[in-house]
Amino acid sequence: MVTATEHTVSVWAPTMQHGAPPSALLVRALERVDAREDTRISRVVVDILGPIPVEDIEIRAWTERPGANVELVVAELWAASSSGTARAVARGSAWRMRSSPTEDVAHSGDRVMKPVGDGVDYAFGDSWSSGFLDAIEFKILTEFGAAGPGEIWARPRPVLVQGETMTPLERLFSIADIANGIGAKLPIDKWTFLNTDLTVHIFRVPQGEWVGVAAETSTGPDGIAMCAGTLSDELGTVGRIAQTVLVRRRD
């Protein structure tokens, strides 16, 4: 059981968490369940089953499909509903694969982001302000809403769980869910754009404190959008992210 703090609060409502801290909690559980030193997570899918409250969260995890080389692990976050009964509010699944040396053929097919040093200190304010965003340090590379992918470097100030040091993947997922905001082309004072999920493929374990996000949202004609992009560390790209986004005009 963990207790959410004000550092998790979403931009969309003060009673719900931003998607990043719960995603990182799920990854924490996925890495730990039946852990093996010779494996690592290669793909994570997070489904947000409803608003995740800023309160006590129970974590459940299990191995869905064991295997010598490939296994599927699953985790869920549970919270009390308005009636007082417990319900699952988020679910994560991950393929965990046995690692093997391939340094001699390592390759990245994605464009490298500009370095952290090229970024400009940035603080979200006005309608973007939230407990979560206020707890993250940002270095912006592109203007919001400009043509092409939005690009930003970010690192969390607080740890995920008090008394613990974040793993590289916990740190990555404590930031990754901001992609749909970084890639947004719609003004937040006129539109809402909540993601219902995120899928992240990780081909290299990230290093260091900074997480680079390069993302752009494509919006269809019927209120459904998709955000897609890359995640990086200071050595280059580490994976790709995609999110389904529900777009609604504000009244």
Side-chain angles (χ1 to χ4, degrees):
M1 184 78 71
V2 296
T3 300
T5 72
E6 69 277 7
H7 297 312
T8 68
V9 175
S10 169
V11 69
W12 305 116
T15 56
M16 63 185 287
Q17 294 189 51
H18 188 280
S23 298
L25 273 182
L26 287 168
V27 166
R28 174 179 176 270
L30 293 169
E31 286 190 298
R32 292 182 176 209
V33 62
D34 299 328
R36 292 167 44 192
E37 292 185 359
D38 62 340
T39 66
R40 76 162 177 86
I41 287 173
S42 63
R43 186 228 63 184
V44 175
V45 175
V46 172
D47 288 306
I48 300 171
L49 306 178
I52 302 172
V54 185
E55 58 183 48
D56 291 345
I57 300 293
E58 180 187 354
I59 307 168
R60 306 179 185 182
W62 63 93
T63 298
E64 183 76 13
R65 184 268 198 195
N69 291 299
V70 179
E71 55 191 8
L72 183 68
V73 288
V74 179
E76 290 181 343
L77 304 183
W78 284 63
S81 66
S82 56
S83 64
T85 58
R87 64 182 178 90
V89 292
R91 178 182 298 118
S93 64
W95 285 113
R96 208 164 55 185
M97 297 183 175
R98 188 165 65 90
S99 56
S100 177
T102 51
E103 292 93 342
D104 57 324
V105 293
H107 168 72
S108 172
D110 293 303
R111 181 178 62 86
V112 176
M113 289 179 60
K114 293 180 180 178
V116 175
D118 284 5
V120 176
D121 290 342
Y122 189 85
F124 286 88
D126 300 326
S127 54
W128 280 96
S129 183
S130 73
F132 170 74
L133 292 178
D134 293 346
I136 306 297
E137 182 179 357
F138 293 101
K139 298 274 190 180
I140 193 169
L141 293 174
T142 62
E143 294 294 330
F144 284 98
E151 296 188 357
I152 202 167
W153 288 99
R155 63 179 175 184
R157 293 190 176 98
V159 295
L160 178 63
V161 176
Q162 189 172 3
E164 295 182 4
T165 299
M166 284 191 285
T167 69
L169 289 189
E170 287 173 14
R171 183 175 294 277
L172 182 74
F173 278 83
S174 71
I175 297 296
D177 192 76
I178 70 173
N180 67 306
I182 301 306
K185 303 303 181 186
L186 299 172
I188 196 172
D189 58 334
K190 296 180 180 179
W191 298 88
T192 62
F193 32 90
L194 288 79
N195 63 296
T196 59
D197 56 41
L198 68 154
T199 299
V200 179
H201 291 263
I202 309 124
F203 71 89
R204 179 172 64 80
V205 177
Q207 301 181 38
E209 295 185 345
W210 289 97
V211 176
V213 180
E216 185 168 8
T217 299
S218 300
T219 304
D222 55 357
I224 299 172
M226 176 200 69
C227 180
T230 59
L231 301 173
S232 300
D233 64 11
E234 293 189 78
L235 299 177
T237 51
V238 300
R240 295 184 180 182
I241 182 171
Q243 297 165 293
T244 307
V245 182
L246 181 70
V247 177
R248 292 294 183 266
R249 195 185 306 270
R250 292 186 185 271
D251 295 333

